Amino acid sequence: MRKFPACVAVAGVAHAQTKNNRALHESAVVGTPARRRPAIAALAFLCAIFPLAALAQEQPSWEIWALHQFIPESPVGEIEFDTDGITARGTNGICIRYGAAVLTADSASVNRETGDAVADGHVRIEQGDQIWVGDHIRYNFKTHQMESEQFRTGKPPVFAAGRQLQGDITNQTYNARHALATSDDVSSPATYIRATRIRIVPNKHIEMWNAVVFVEKVPVFYLPYYRRNIGPHANNWTFTAGDRTSYGPFILNTYTWWLNDAVDGKLHLDYREKRGFGFGPDVNLHLGQWGNATLKYYYTHDHDQYAGTNGLPNFGSVPQDRQRVYLGWQATPATNLNLKALVNYQSDAYLEHDFFESDYLQNPQPNTFFEQNKYWDNWSLDALTTPELNNFFDQTERLPDVRLTGFRQQVLNTPVYYDSQSSAGYYKKYFANTNAPTPPAYSAARADTYHQLLLPWTFFNWLNITPRVGGRLTYYSAESGPGGTNSEAWRGVFNTGVGASFKASQLWPGVKSSFWDMDGLRHIIEPSASYIFVPDPSKAPAQLPQFDSALPSLGLLPVQFPDYNNIDSIDSENVVRLGLHNSLQTKRDGQVDNLVDWNLTIDWRLNPSGTPNNLDEPFSPQQTFSDLYSEFRFKPRSWVTLESQSRFDVNIGDINLAFDQITFMPSERWSWGVGYWYLRQGFDGFTQGNNYATTTAFYRLDDNWGLRATENFNIEDSRLQQQYYTIYRDMRSWTAALTFRVLDNSTGPTDYTFAFTFSLKASPSHHVGDDTVDPYHLVGE
């Protein structure tokens, strides 16, 4: 035998292992001294920390070396080669690398021609992102065939152990007897499955026969056959169980499945003791060029359909057979061509409120539409269809509405710019079909075209002045239907105006403050003024069908055309919109950050009429000044943010709207937010008053436990309107949350909910932080 010095040119990419990983894999070694485990683990690390120059070659190179050169306290190892240099043997710690496979062991031999290796003692094989651990393993580096009397293997979210392992290179599968599988990445898992036979297809799936589910070493369930996806889209099951006043005891189950890259989805099976069973599938289609589509269906035979309707508007009767259908689709089949479709069908107006509260609060009146958009550099063509599917909501049908938009563009080589917007369609106005008297529907055709010329100028290299002039012509056919009263009509609208703005800044690089976390200071100020004049249209809004009419808004609506798109509500206007934007910026962590950002806007009406016909505030009496709108953001530190939005009536000195919030996030360990929300009752004739405070606090006790509390307090009647208290538990591979909620809407009984949510960490039902703004999934909604 010829002896060669151990090789120190190590190749590969490190496969980082956590402490739990090491505990899992090393616990599989039986009958070997524990004092040698750290040395073998260190050797496995050293086998993979240096770049592999041989990867650029067509054939991988062999790298073989001993442990003692890098771990002085380890026994002195030797590597010997046969005289032909083909077979190598190592003792007292050896590492072998070929291509992407790395083997470490106490002792091993390898034939470099055939790739066959026999390893003993603390054997560890890294093959791609899969790890195999055993005490005696036969392995072929070229075919990846493997045999072992005892082994452990895995990667999140599934780990396995067993005996009599055999690898089949033909179909890339590994079979074993008397096996264990778990998603718990520790040496003594809390939950696991034992089976008489197991088949593993790396990165694809695992199959088990005669499987028994164990929880804390207690058998709880038997499965004659079990299969689980261990690829990037692992199937999983989550549930929320608890008790609620309007449900009684309940359990909500969701099974997430993945068929292939084109089809995946979820299956829901729920039971509520007072309401009955509910079920339905979600299917996601990934259609390549034709985009992505989602289909959802849910059905329940409700035993107490009026249990959750206290205090809600009257939208008609509620059937016992309740269901919803949702279809969403979006695609870009060609360059600059977008297609969208959204279908929302509900059996009644209260379905989402009762069973999908999160969806209900985001959009209490979901609509249905089909939209096509084709755009070029200066033009865009849109077609929108909105059929009526739910007759218990007000809706305007568009069958269809086709719009051609001309973006702002230069007219030849002149300083003049042009923009336009033209549309045509057939429209039908429906009113909610409730138990109360319903206004009759009406319909008509409409064709509208708007064109505008602008002349932007810059004076003194800082003052921007843009005069504009435009005109609109609209045709309405005679109204039909039981509510039709207006005859055929033409309407003309003229508008003109001028906008002025500039931007100035001052930099103080020497301003520094550790208290305010400042490194330099820059002030930016942007005043603006825009004058808009619209004389009386040739037809007043009352003489026209109202398909696109003004709706109540808490924000200031645009007054410039074509941004103002309530086509049928256009009336006279003579107003100056004044704006002032201030920013104070500094550097934090090398990035520009806003210390203060404040935007103020107000409209000055030059000939107020006292009647509610404003374009900006359509339902407020027309006074000399509109409300003063303020948006303020103050960030004194990178982890503290104060935000404020307000609406102040300067004519009578009242606050119509106030929303203030301060958030502290000094670390991942804790956070706290306090907010205040106020709306003055009926300031625009529609708005319902609100006056309440809210607070949300989160505290992480340690790596496994966390607490969150949310409270909404109604100041008007000193009532805790909504309370959430949640305890989080990280169980290594699973996450759990225990939530108690109290909902007191002052009408009907107080709703108490106690719920337990359980999901796989590798495939969570919701992502980190979701419950900060959307806590309803914690109670199954």
Side-chain angles (χ1 to χ4, degrees), residues 637-671:
R637 306 279 295 184
S638 58
W639 49 271
V640 181
T641 303
L642 171 64
E643 296 177 283
S644 174
Q645 297 181 42
S646 60
R647 179 173 172 175
F648 179 72
D649 190 331
V650 298
N651 299 290
I652 61 175
D654 274 344
I655 295 176
N656 287 334
L657 176 150
F659 174 68
D660 306 301
Q661 179 170 292
I662 185 169
T663 304
F664 301 89
M665 297 186 65
S667 67
E668 293 185 356
R669 190 172 186 85
W670 70 274
S671 64

Side-chain angles (χ1 to χ4, degrees), residues 715-727:
I715 299 174
E716 291 289 337
D717 51 13
S718 301
R719 170 172 49 91
L720 271 174
Q721 187 167 309
Q722 190 166 235
Q723 305 167 64
Y724 278 91
Y725 307 101
T726 302
I727 301 175

